[in-house]
Amino acid sequence: MLTRRHIRVKVMQSLYAFNQSQNDNLATEEKFLLKSMQEMYDLFLLQISLITEIREHAETYLEKSQQKHLATSEEKDPNRKFVNNQVFQILNENESIQNALEKHKINHWKQDDEYVAIIWNEIRNSLTYQEYLETRESSFKEDKDFIVHIFKEIIAPNDKLYDYLEDKKLTWVDDLPLVNTAILKFLQKMKESTGREKKITQLFKNEEDKEFAIKLFRKTYLNDEDLSEEMLGKTPNWDKDRIAEVDMVLIKMAICEFLKFTSIPVKVTINEYLEIAKEYSTPKSSIFINGVLDKLSKEYQTEDKLNKTGRGLM
């Protein structure tokens, strides 16, 4: 689920928080970094569980409608196409999903079911839902396309859900776009024949990415003084006090990648930190950071300090 850029962002946020707190316990801060990434995965599982919980809410709604004293013919014999949607069945029967939900103790919607009700009502009153129920039979493709659509158009952008997640954990607000994108990819790749066996998306693509996160955090922090010295004289038109703290962190991380991560190409490092700066720092930060890193990379190449190997040579 996490790309290298997302990992860099998490490391940047942790280093920035570390600097602000002036804490000198590296082990504690490393745990904080891993915890913040793990909480992102909890949000992923929470959003997955929301989808299946909406189905349970819809089932209850149909049952109550049938029990009305003056139930209409439609209420007595409701169209069960929504609750029988094959995507719900696959998610509920997928062992890796159910095991992950249990392991991470994701049961929020049992206590906070009013938010499930809000989203279910929005779905039920939508034109997409009405069109979906025009028939009582459906193919797997129609079922999947419908779930993907309501997730994109109703669940993901829901303001009340956003407020709820912000109240539960403030960091989830920053993580939400990435998590929702990961869920969409998971749903879109779902196939009728393999859906129940499909492994749920993991936090890290592989163990190497997890090691990258820890090493980047550790090497940047432990070499802070050396990395600061590398910047001396490279920002002649900028007083130290005028440089945004986020920019300082990003430049140090980039220099660390130049010198300590032999397999990462220089161009990749520069591009990654420029994109992060555009999203997380000041309007002029990307221009400033590009100038510093471009100058440094050329000096390192001339001085043969880059020591890149394998993929890092590209």
Side-chain angles (χ1 to χ4, degrees):
M1 185 174 82
L2 285 172
T3 66
R4 285 290 178 99
R5 181 176 299 171
H6 299 128
I7 290 171
R8 288 179 174 97
V9 169
K10 283 294 181 184
V11 171
M12 177 268 290
Q13 291 171 337
S14 293
L15 286 168
Y16 179 82
F18 200 178
N19 291 340
Q20 293 294 307
S21 68
Q22 297 182 333
N23 189 347
D24 60 356
N25 191 324
L26 182 62
T28 299
E29 293 303 324
E30 279 186 14
K31 287 180 181 178
F32 175 80
L33 169 63
L34 293 173
K35 183 174 181 286
S36 70
M37 291 189 286
Q38 189 59 64
E39 286 174 347
M40 178 186 287
Y41 191 60
D42 289 346
L43 176 59
F44 173 81
L45 293 173
L46 185 64
Q47 291 288 76
I48 288 285
S49 71
L50 174 60
I51 296 172
T52 57
E53 201 62 38
I54 291 168
R55 186 260 172 214
E56 300 306 311
H57 204 88
E59 179 76 69
T60 302
Y61 174 84
L62 293 182
E63 289 174 358
K64 288 182 178 179
S65 296
Q66 286 177 304
Q67 294 167 5
K68 285 182 180 178
H69 179 62
L70 298 174
T72 65
S73 57
E74 175 62 28
E75 288 170 333
K76 290 178 181 177
D77 181 28
N79 187 339
R80 296 182 59 80
K81 186 175 178 179
F82 179 80
V83 295
N84 290 337
N85 185 294
Q86 295 173 72
V87 172
F88 291 140
Q89 295 176 27
I90 288 172
L91 293 175
N92 281 324
E93 294 174 12
N94 187 300
E95 284 190 18
S96 71
I97 292 176
Q98 298 309 315
N99 290 339
L101 292 174
E102 184 176 349
K103 178 181 178 182
H104 292 265
K105 300 178 181 178
I106 304 298
N107 56 9
H108 300 55
W109 307 120
K110 300 300 180 185
Q111 290 81 30
D112 301 319
D113 61 344
E114 65 269 28
Y115 293 94
V116 182
I118 288 169
I119 294 174
W120 157 239
N121 286 327
E122 286 198 25
I123 293 172
R124 185 167 59 86
N125 293 319
S126 69
L127 179 61
T128 301
Y129 179 80
Q130 304 304 323
E131 291 175 345
Y132 179 66
L133 291 192
E134 286 178 357
T135 63
R136 292 198 171 215
E137 302 294 330
S138 64
S139 64
F140 176 75
K141 182 180 185 305
E142 183 186 3
D143 282 351
K144 185 173 79 168
D145 288 348
F146 172 75
I147 295 297
V148 167
H149 182 81
I150 64 169
F151 185 81
K152 286 172 63 176
E153 303 300 326
I154 297 175
I155 299 174
N158 188 277
D159 288 338
K160 288 186 172 62
L161 177 60
Y162 180 94
D163 292 340
Y164 167 78
L165 295 173
E166 186 177 33
D167 288 341
K168 280 292 180 182
K169 205 173 296 291
L170 187 60
T171 55
W172 275 351
V173 174
D174 286 336
D175 297 337
L176 195 57
L178 165 63
V179 167
N180 285 339
T181 299
I183 290 174
L184 277 176
K185 288 180 180 178
F186 181 76
L187 293 172
Q188 289 165 343
K189 290 180 180 179
M190 191 177 287
K191 295 181 180 178
E192 183 176 11
S193 58
T194 60
R196 289 167 179 81
E197 292 78 32
K198 182 176 175 59
K199 294 286 187 181
I200 191 170
T201 304
Q202 297 300 307
L203 177 60
F204 294 102
K205 182 180 178 181
N206 49 45
E207 194 63 27
E208 183 181 339
D209 278 359
K210 182 178 180 179
E211 291 175 1
F212 171 71
I214 296 171
K215 288 180 179 178
L216 181 59
F217 177 81
R218 187 178 296 168
K219 288 177 181 291
T220 304
Y221 174 74
L222 292 177
N223 293 281
D224 183 75
E225 290 187 13
D226 291 340
L227 296 173
S228 295
E229 287 183 13
E230 294 291 333
M231 291 179 60
L232 291 177
K234 306 302 185 298
T235 57
N237 299 321
W238 294 76
D239 295 330
K240 185 177 179 181
D241 293 340
R242 289 180 57 217
I243 301 175
E245 287 190 56
V246 170
D247 294 354
M248 293 284 283
V249 172
L250 291 175
I251 292 171
K252 288 176 183 178
M253 288 172 64
I255 297 172
C256 185
E257 283 191 28
F258 284 165
L259 302 176
K260 307 291 183 180
F261 290 80
T262 60
S263 65
I264 301 177
V266 170
K267 287 183 179 179
V268 169
T269 294
I270 293 176
N271 289 337
E272 287 291 277
Y273 287 104
L274 292 185
E275 291 303 314
I276 293 171
K278 288 175 185 176
E279 187 170 354
Y280 290 92
S281 197
T282 68
K284 294 183 179 180
S285 289
S286 60
I287 298 172
F288 168 66
I289 291 173
N290 184 53
V292 174
L293 296 184
D294 183 61
K295 187 173 184 179
L296 277 170
S297 64
K298 288 176 180 175
E299 284 187 13
Y300 291 155
Q301 193 166 16
T302 301
E303 297 168 4
D304 200 26
K305 293 174 74 173
L306 290 174
N307 192 30
K308 297 291 183 179
T309 60
R311 187 168 60 89
L313 293 170
M314 300 185 328

